[in-house]
Structures are given as structure tokens and as C-alpha cells.
Amino acid sequence: MSTLAPLRLLREPSNASEGNQSNATVGAGGGWCQGLDIPNELFLVLGLVSLVENLLVVAAILKNRNLHSPTYYFICCLAVSDMLVSISNLAEMLFMLLLEHGVLVMRPSIVRHMDSVIDMLICSSVVSSLSFLGVIAVDRYITIFYALRYHSIMTLQRAVVTMASVWLASTVSSTVLITYYRSNTILLCLIGFFLFMLVLMLVLYIHMFALARHHLHSISSQQKPPTAHRGGSLKGAVTLTILLGVFFICWGPFFFHLILIVTCPTNPFCTCFFSYFNLFLILIICNSVIDPLIYAFRSQELRRTLREVVTCSW
């Protein structure tokens, strides 16, 4: 058993004893409640892929002055948040391997301190990733529905204030979470934040989806042959559906896990669900891998800059 555990503070309810959990797990149905044995190599590979992808996005946005706009700054911040997820995951895995193989010898108090620091980094990156997903949704909404006023609404100064506020709030909230992790109130706040972001994105993207559908029907009513505009509207609608689907699939199980910790910490079904915690972490890391494909690499300008970065055409 490793000395460290990813997000150990949220892995299982603090008010349930090990005996109760083991008994409940046995009663919940045997083998399938033992969770999945996910190798550390998978965490490392996904973490490296996510790190490289998001590092390329940040480098491309910094390199190309045409991408120095609020929209791409938000995408850059999302990439940095996803990089923090990857870096914290890689750091924890390497730290665990060094301790397990005796390469690194540290006092238990220092190990616990390092574990808390890494957990704080993970929590901060999770909150900031969720926040910037919501900010990007709002930015896209303003771009579509207030196109003529976009530059007066989303000024560079407001974008900087928004980004600074998100990073500050993420740091403070992660510190509070690590300090008072045994309080259900803290977990409820985290769950409420996720639900708020989910509802916000759902409302905004449904409204944008409805606009794309209305545009598609308007073209169809004119009895014109298929055009690039129709394809663009349909593509936009499909993209929005993918965004919501990926968001829910990658983040939903983790926050459902938190809901069960608060509502039924000793229930057999809940304790069985807790055993799959590492799978939920894998999904979050997968989200960090998928984000650049959805938010960044679809831009032709950014793809061109990425090719220049990869070929070192500085």
C-alpha cells in the first residue's frame, strides 16, 4: 500500500470506520465492489500526454500575437489549470514510487506535509478548471449574442480581473478544503459549486444550441441547397452537445462520489461506489487531455501556430 494517496481527503468519508466500510463492502456484492486496480503507469502516461498537449497550447498562445485576446487568454488559463492537474498527478506518482522503493527517505511528518501540499495543488487545479470552463462558456455566449458589443463588454482589463479572481478564489478555496476537509459543509460548498457550473453551462449552451437550430431552420425554410452556413450551424450544435457530454462524463462521477460521502457514508451501495475513486480521478485527467482538442485545437490560427512551435519555427 502506498504511503500517499491521490486526494486522500476525499477518497472516503471521515466519519465511517474501516470496520463499517469493509463489512458494508462485503455485503454489497463481493467482487465488483473491490474497485479497479488501475496501474500507476496509466496515471503517468495520461498525465504526460495532458502536460504536453496543454503546454503546446500555452506556448502557441504566447507566441502568436493574433491570439492575444480575452477568449484565448481564458483558453490559456484552462490549459494552465489542466497542466496543474497533470503536474500534481505526476509529482504524486513519482513521490509515491520513490518512497515505496526506498530511494527517498523522509520523516512521516514531512511526508504528510508534502501530501497536503500536493492535495492543495490538485484541489486548486480542479476548482480553477471548473471555473474557466464556465468563463469560456460565458465568453462564447457573449460572442454569439452580443457580437457587436463584445469588445466593449469583454475588455482586456475585465478579462485580467476575471482571471486573477479565479486563481485567487481557487487558491483560497483549496486551502479551506484541505484545512476543514472533515466538515460536510465544505463538501456541500464544493458540490454546490459543481452544480452551479453545470447549470450555468447547460443554460448557456442550450441557448446557443437553440440559436444554431433556429439558424439551420431559417436556411431550410428558404428552400436553398446545403451551404457552408448550414454545415457550420450543425457543426456548432454538435460541438456544444459534445462539450456538455464530456463535461458531465468526466466530472460527474467524482462529484457524485462527494454527494454520497455527505448523504450515505456507511450505506453498502455507497461504500461500494467509493472503491472506484481512482477511476474517477482517471476521468478527470482524461478531461485534461480532451479539453485542448475541444477548446483549442479547433482553431485554425492556433493549429498553424502549434505547427510552428512543434517545428521550432520561432
Side-chain angles (χ1 to χ4, degrees):
M1 183 64 66
S2 59
T3 305
L4 294 178
L7 279 182
R8 57 174 169 71
L9 306 179
L10 303 178
R11 177 182 293 273
E12 60 189 17
S14 58
N15 59 340
S17 65
E18 293 184 2
N20 289 339
Q21 289 185 29
S22 60
N23 292 337
T25 302
V26 171
W32 71 276
C33 284
Q34 300 303 315
L36 293 178
D37 185 17
I38 299 177
N40 289 337
E41 290 77 9
L42 181 58
F43 281 97
L44 290 173
V45 169
L46 288 176
L48 286 173
V49 172
S50 172
L51 180 60
V52 171
E53 277 188 355
N54 289 286
L55 190 60
L56 287 174
V57 171
V58 173
I61 292 175
L62 293 178
K63 179 181 185 296
N64 191 339
R65 291 185 178 276
N66 294 331
L67 301 178
H68 292 182
S69 64
T71 297
Y72 283 101
Y73 285 152
F74 295 146
I75 292 176
C76 184
C77 285
L78 176 63
V80 172
S81 297
D82 289 338
M83 282 174 57
L84 289 178
V85 174
S86 305
I87 291 172
S88 56
N89 171 68
L90 290 173
E92 188 160 42
M93 287 295 109
L94 292 175
F95 196 36
M96 288 167 57
L97 291 175
L98 291 175
L99 287 173
E100 289 175 352
H101 290 84
V103 178
L104 184 64
V105 179
M106 303 178 71
R107 290 182 299 178
S109 59
I110 298 179
V111 172
R112 287 194 296 270
H113 179 70
M114 290 294 297
D115 197 12
S116 295
V117 170
I118 294 175
D119 278 343
M120 188 177 299
L121 181 61
I122 295 175
C123 291
S124 178
S125 59
V126 166
V127 174
S128 59
S129 293
L130 285 172
S131 299
F132 282 115
L133 286 172
V135 169
I136 291 173
V138 173
D139 180 74
R140 289 190 170 188
Y141 184 86
I142 297 174
T143 302
I144 292 176
F145 288 94
Y146 302 94
L148 298 179
R149 297 171 50 200
Y150 175 80
H151 293 290
S152 61
I153 296 175
M154 188 57 69
T155 62
L156 183 58
Q157 182 179 4
R158 288 176 179 171
V160 170
V161 170
T162 300
M163 291 183 290
S165 300
V166 169
W167 286 117
L168 178 61
S170 300
T171 303
V172 172
S173 60
S174 63
T175 303
V176 173
L177 176 62
I178 298 301
T179 305
Y180 301 102
Y181 71 93
R182 294 184 181 276
S183 172
N184 282 346
T185 303
I186 299 298
L187 292 183
L188 286 173
C189 290
L190 189 59
I191 294 168
F193 173 70
F194 168 76
L195 293 177
F196 171 77
M197 284 300 171
L198 178 62
V199 171
L200 175 66
M201 294 177 65
L202 188 64
V203 170
L204 294 181
Y205 283 142
I206 285 179
H207 199 183
M208 288 186 277
F209 185 95
L211 178 65
R213 186 170 179 271
H214 176 72
H215 184 213
L216 190 62
H217 280 215
S218 297
I219 297 175
S220 300
S221 64
Q222 297 174 11
Q223 297 182 348
K224 294 182 178 180
T227 63
H229 294 289
R230 179 183 299 187
S233 297
L234 184 58
K235 182 180 178 180
V238 171
T239 300
L240 298 179
T241 304
I242 293 174
L243 287 173
L244 281 176
V246 169
F247 177 80
F248 184 77
I249 291 173
C250 291
W251 289 98
F254 174 75
F255 281 91
F256 185 60
H257 173 95
L258 299 187
I259 292 174
L260 295 185
I261 286 180
V262 175
T263 57
C264 57
T266 58
N267 182 276
F269 169 79
C270 298
T271 54
C272 183
F273 194 81
F274 298 153
S275 65
Y276 289 86
F277 185 77
N278 281 340
L279 175 61
F280 311 151
L281 293 183
I282 284 288
L283 289 175
I284 291 178
I285 299 174
C286 285
N287 184 78
S288 300
V289 175
I290 296 171
D291 277 346
L293 303 178
I294 297 178
Y295 292 97
F297 294 160
R298 294 176 63 86
S299 167
Q300 184 176 358
E301 179 79 9
L302 196 144
R303 288 199 304 270
R304 181 182 64 80
T305 309
L306 281 171
R307 284 194 294 269
E308 296 176 1
V309 171
V310 172
T311 57
C312 300
S313 302
W314 291 84

